[in-house]
Structures are given as structure tokens and as C-alpha cells.
Amino acid sequence: MKIGEVVSASALRGLEAKLDLENPEDLRIGYPVIVEGRRYDFYCLVEDVVNEPSRIAERLAGSRLRDTVMPTGIEEGYGGPIFYAKAVLKPIQLIEKETGRLSEPQTIPPYFSEVRHAREPDVELIYEKTPRSAPLGTIRGVTQFYVHLDFERLSEKPFAIFGRTGMGKSILNKLVCLGILGGNVGSVLVFDMHGEYGIYSRTDKTEGLKFYFPERVEILSLDPKNKEARPFLINAEEIRPQDLIVALQDLNQNMIDAIYEIAKRRPTNLLAAIEEAEPEKFDESRIHPTVLNALKRRVRRLERLPFLRPTAKDAFSTMVSLVRHGKSLVLDFGDFGTDEMVYLFVANVLARRFFDLYTDKNEEFPRLIVFLEEAHKFLDPAIANYTIFSKLARETRKFNLILALVDQRPSKIDDEVRSQLANRLVMSLKEPSDVTSSLAGVPDRSMWESIISTIPARVVTVLGDAIRIPTVIDVMRYDDLNVRDHLLGRTATDANLDRLASRTDEVLEP
């Protein structure tokens, strides 16, 4: 159905269409439309919908004549309707009418070319399915068309999920994890702070990763009350200065210098060495007694953690063995999930050790995607040099260890790290600095800034090489039927579901 005609066009600035719609509310930012040229169909996204300034409208506004003179808003005047809306359109692809061949837009359609909503046959020409692809949802403005992402390409390089709190990042993250596992493109390591990724989510009782892949996902837990999980212990002798600096983010530079000074003596247990350090054994110009005492008070926060102690049962060797055999890992934080210090500490320790392992022996291990929530707390420019994650983003794609960032404040993430992101899944953001930062290096950034600032919850803009063109997607509802039908396939999951059905009550018990 025709919705308008082209009245202005620029190969660089885009198109304008005068709309025939009685109600401009029927068209929204991010909707795909087709402009029918003579040789090409122009596949476009709606960048803006505007009512042009009108002196007649200004005169009628507030007048009793407004509704009687123009009851429907489409009365004809000289040259067409007196009141109308326009759509600003951005061409994304050209579709050659005779062959269906796709190309980048480098030309414009003639005046008065008809504009219509994109239909399923149009988008089928644009989007491709691959052996490792699956959908995360449907295209906005096209009835129930599930657009595929290539999860192999997505997981080959660092990527990010950005969006404000409450916009659906956790649900999107679970769908992405399931897409990676369903496509057999790698294993995942998830730091599960709120109990959402195991068998069932503790917050909304939805199914987790292990529900769908009971043989391929293993749960470890810092909390001994979790009987579904393997115990998690860290050998205190494995702690390095950087782990303390990341976890204890209230350290000043003098305290940081003191940690490195103590570490120079190569103690087997850095935590114990700090606790036992005596001021008189150090040059006061290097470690002042008041600095040492302040450092000790802060380090004692870590010493109280029950899973951190000198032990031969360090969980890392178990995790390495599981990953070597293609398993994915969910680390459940249990009662420690609200303790930011614990999360910063544990995530950095494990990522650092996996980094060392993969860079030394990467040929022995399958691809592992490390999902890092609250990423800005690790990658703020003030702290990024002390964490392993900036190196992980820059260096490990060739070692098969991939970083996936999940965050609500992309502007607080180090610029160099953001520059390494090959794919971005961006949900609604409002802070201008976050919108701009989430799109750094993306062509036509101004258009995407407008879209990301206005899209509602549970909608994501996908940009990168995992999808043929940048696309605005309505994220599918996270439920068993959708996951099985669209993301994993029924056959692959029926056996797993039957196996776990009898355990539902047991797993959901508090």
C-alpha cells in the first residue's frame, strides 16, 4: 500500500517523502520502507517523521474553527492536501528490480517515486540465513518476519550489548547465549550475579541456559547453599596486585604503590604478605606506616570471603577441564550477588587466568566467550590499565577468547576498548554521551543516534558484520515456545525438556 511520494532526494543526505497517511502515527522511526524507483527498489529506514511548519496551521491553532474547517486533516487545496506529514528516509540497500541483486545506495530515485511499507518478500531479499544463524526477534514494521543473526560471526570478535537499566538487556543476553550454544559456535562463561542463567531464573522463573543444555552447561557457585552447582574456591596464592586494585576501587596511588612494593618480594600469598607486613621492614619513603595500615584495612574485606583461602581445591582447574571438553560455565554468585567488590574481584581473577591460559595454549581449547556485565566498572579509563579486560578486547580474538560487554554506560568504557567492537546490539539509551559512545565509528551515526534515543524497551538496534545491514529488531518474548521454535529448534531441545520437567519443583524451591 502506497504511503507517500518522494519530494526531495540526496545521495548523501537521504530522501524526504510527502505522506498520504491520514494519521502520521501509523509510521514510526526505524520502520523499513520501500521506495519504488524505475530501475531499483530503495530499501530505506525511517529516520524521522515530521509535520512541516504551516502558517495556516498556526492561524487555526487554538481557534474554534480548527475542527470545523479541517475535521480530517486531508482536505485538498491547490496542489494537494493542505495539511500533511513528511518522512525522512535513509536508503540502506538498493535492490535491482530485474535480478534482485543488492548493492550499496549511490544514487537517488526520481521525483514522485512511490513509498510503501516493506513487505516480507522485500526483506527476504535483504537478510540471509546461514548454518550458524538464528533470530533474536522480528523486524519493526514488518509483520512477524524473524531476522537472523550469524552467531559464528558475532562470536569471532569482541561485541557489546548496550542499553539503559530496565530495557531488557538480561533477556537479550540470555537469547544471545542460547544462540551461541544452539549454533555450536563456542562456549560461554557467564558471571551470574542475580541467579538468572542457571536452570531457572530466581527473579522471574524463566528457563536458564542449563535448562536447554543440561549436558553442555555447568554451574559453579560461590554460595554453598546452591546444591545444583559445583563448589567454587579460589586459592589465595593465585592473587596478583591487579586483582586487588580492581576489586578495591577506593585505593589511592600510595596504596597501589605499596601493593607492588610488597609483591616485589615474591610472596607465595600476597594477601598474607600484606597482612603480615611490618612498617619498619620497608623504607618509609616507599611505604609509609599510615598507608600500610589503611591498605591492610581494605584488604581484610577480601580475607573474610569464605571461598578465598589457601587450598589445593582451586576451582580454576575444574573450569579449565570443563572448557577443554566444550562445556559452558555459569558462575552463580548467590548471596554475594549484591556485593560489587566480590564481582569485580572474582571476574578479574578468572578472566586473567583464562587470558594467560589461552594466550599460551589456545590451540588446545575451543572458543570461549566471556560475558562481562557492568563492563564500565572494569573498563573505565581510570582503572582499565589494571584489568585484564582491555587486553582481552585488543589481543585475544586470534587466541579464541572473546569478550562480550554488557553495560548501561558505554561512555564510561575506554575508547580503545570500544574501538575493538565488531558488533553492537544497542537498546534504548537517553544520556547523549552514552548514545554517541555506543555508536563510535558507525557510519550515518546521526541517524542511529536519533533511533536509539527514541526506541522503546525490548527493541534493539543491531550493527556489525553479524547481520547484512544495520537493523532495528523487536526482541522476541523470552519463553519456552519462542526459544524452541525460533532460536534452537524443537528437535534439539525436546529431549532436554523431558529430562528436566520432572525436576521443576525441586529446582524452583527457595
Side-chain angles (χ1 to χ4, degrees):
M1 180 187 76
K2 176 184 173 184
I3 61 173
E5 295 179 2
V6 171
V7 295
S8 173
S10 165
L12 297 178
R13 295 186 300 275
L15 317 178
E16 285 190 356
K18 182 178 178 181
L19 297 179
D20 291 345
L21 299 172
E22 180 176 337
N23 185 359
E25 295 170 351
D26 293 335
L27 194 64
R28 299 190 179 189
I29 288 176
Y31 275 20
V33 297
I34 297 293
V35 176
E36 296 185 343
R38 293 175 186 168
R39 181 177 174 185
Y40 299 102
D41 285 336
F42 292 70
Y43 183 89
C44 304
L45 290 184
V46 177
E47 186 174 353
D48 199 2
V49 182
V50 297
N51 283 327
E52 292 284 5
S54 166
R55 296 189 66 180
I56 298 176
E58 290 179 6
R59 297 286 297 273
L60 288 173
S63 165
R64 287 176 297 174
L65 297 175
R66 182 189 64 187
D67 295 328
T68 56
V69 174
M70 297 295 171
T72 65
I74 58 171
E75 276 66 16
E76 294 285 330
Y78 179 76
I82 296 174
F83 297 119
Y84 57 88
K86 282 185 179 180
V88 180
L89 310 177
K90 185 65 177 180
I92 304 296
Q93 289 276 280
L94 299 184
I95 306 171
E96 191 169 354
K97 289 179 178 287
E98 290 188 6
T99 65
R101 184 180 298 131
L102 303 177
S103 60
E104 295 294 317
Q106 295 180 328
T107 186
I108 58 173
Y111 277 115
F112 313 126
S113 295
E114 291 193 2
V115 182
R116 60 173 173 81
H117 286 291
R119 297 189 290 262
E120 188 169 333
D122 302 313
V123 291
E124 282 179 342
L125 292 172
I126 299 289
Y127 297 100
E128 58 184 347
K129 296 180 181 179
T130 70
R132 305 297 188 191
S133 70
L136 292 177
T138 56
I139 299 181
R140 301 199 81 205
V142 181
T143 304
Q144 290 298 296
F145 182 85
Y146 286 86
V147 58
H148 279 231
L149 270 70
D150 188 310
F151 283 94
E152 185 161 36
R153 290 179 189 163
L154 180 70
S155 62
E156 285 176 343
K157 303 169 186 174
F159 65 93
I161 298 172
F162 293 137
R164 289 184 293 138
T165 300
M167 293 297 103
K169 288 194 305 298
S170 294
I171 291 298
L172 178 60
N173 196 19
K174 281 209 278 191
L175 291 171
V176 169
C177 288
L178 289 171
I180 289 170
L181 297 179
N184 289 306
V185 298
S187 299
V188 302
L189 168 59
V190 179
F191 301 110
D192 191 2
M193 296 173 66
H194 305 296
E196 298 178 287
Y197 296 91
I199 300 178
Y200 289 94
S201 167
R202 286 198 292 266
T203 56
D204 59 11
K205 308 305 181 189
T206 56
E207 299 83 358
L209 306 187
K210 191 171 177 65
F211 178 88
Y212 292 106
F213 296 97
E215 302 299 326
R216 291 173 52 195
V217 175
E218 293 292 338
I219 306 172
L220 296 91
S221 183
L222 281 64
D223 190 342
K225 294 195 297 293
N226 187 342
K227 303 303 181 184
E228 294 290 327
R230 297 171 182 254
F232 178 83
L233 296 173
I234 295 177
N235 185 349
E237 296 179 359
E238 295 291 338
I239 304 309
R240 302 292 179 265
Q242 298 91 328
D243 304 324
L244 303 182
I245 296 166
V246 172
L248 305 171
Q249 294 199 1
D250 58 348
L251 300 177
N252 61 34
Q253 189 58 51
N254 289 333
M255 296 177 197
I256 291 172
D257 292 341
I259 293 174
Y260 280 109
E261 188 66 28
I262 294 170
K264 279 182 185 179
R265 303 191 176 194
R266 300 186 180 276
T268 56
N269 186 329
L270 179 59
L271 295 176
I274 293 172
E275 181 62 34
E276 296 165 5
E278 298 176 4
E280 58 271 16
K281 293 184 178 180
F282 294 90
D283 186 333
E284 191 170 303
S285 65
R286 293 182 177 274
I287 303 181
H288 194 277
T290 57
V291 171
L292 182 58
N293 289 332
L295 175 61
K296 287 183 178 184
R297 287 195 300 273
R298 286 160 173 77
V299 168
R300 284 171 192 151
R301 301 175 199 163
L302 294 172
E303 291 175 340
R304 291 193 290 267
L305 299 176
F307 55 83
L308 176 62
R309 58 178 185 265
T311 176
K313 297 181 179 179
D314 186 284
F316 187 69
S317 59
T318 299
M319 299 173 80
V320 169
S321 177
L322 292 170
V323 170
R324 190 193 296 272
H325 290 91
K327 305 279 189 177
S328 289
L329 306 174
V330 173
L331 182 57
D332 173 51
F333 279 67
D335 288 344
F336 296 100
T338 57
D339 192 328
E340 181 179 294
M341 178 197 69
V342 172
Y343 173 54
L344 294 171
F345 176 67
V346 171
N348 196 73
V349 169
L350 289 180
R352 173 179 55 78
R353 296 175 73 180
F354 271 113
F355 177 89
D356 293 342
L357 179 72
Y358 266 72
T359 52
D360 184 40
K361 300 180 178 180
N362 67 294
E363 71 280 356
E364 299 179 18
F365 292 92
R367 180 180 300 163
L368 179 65
I369 300 96
V370 180
F371 284 83
L372 185 67
E373 299 199 41
E374 300 289 337
H376 71 275
K377 293 177 179 176
F378 298 89
L379 293 167
D380 186 288
I383 199 74
N385 288 336
Y386 294 109
T387 76
I388 199 61
F389 293 103
S390 57
K391 280 188 177 181
L392 210 163
R394 293 193 309 268
E395 300 177 15
T396 54
R397 69 178 69 176
K398 57 190 175 187
F399 298 119
N400 239 2
L401 185 63
I402 307 299
L403 180 62
L405 308 181
V406 184
D407 201 75
Q408 70 272 25
R409 296 304 312 274
S411 63
K412 293 184 177 292
I413 293 174
D414 185 72
D415 291 345
E416 187 176 357
V417 173
R418 280 191 280 105
S419 71
Q420 302 298 317
L421 300 173
N423 287 275
R424 304 166 199 223
L425 288 71
V426 187
M427 308 187 89
S428 174
L429 293 166
K430 292 298 184 185
E431 179 64 38
S433 61
D434 290 326
V435 175
T436 300
S437 297
S438 72
L439 297 168
V442 173
D444 301 318
R445 191 176 72 185
S446 61
M447 178 187 75
W448 294 110
E449 286 177 349
S450 300
I451 289 174
I452 287 166
S453 298
T454 56
I455 54 177
R458 304 295 295 273
V459 176
V460 62
T461 301
V462 182
L463 309 106
D465 61 6
I467 194 167
R468 174 170 273 171
I469 61 172
T471 304
V472 182
I473 296 175
D474 286 320
V475 178
M476 74 172 72
R477 181 182 175 86
Y478 186 87
D479 59 35
D480 180 46
L481 185 62
N482 274 332
V483 170
R484 292 167 66 196
D485 279 357
H486 301 296
L487 202 58
L488 305 181
R490 284 180 177 272
T491 304
T493 57
D494 280 344
N496 295 340
L497 297 172
D498 292 342
R499 177 190 236 156
L500 286 169
S502 62
R503 301 177 59 201
T504 301
D505 292 339
E506 173 190 345
V507 172
L508 289 177
E509 285 179 1

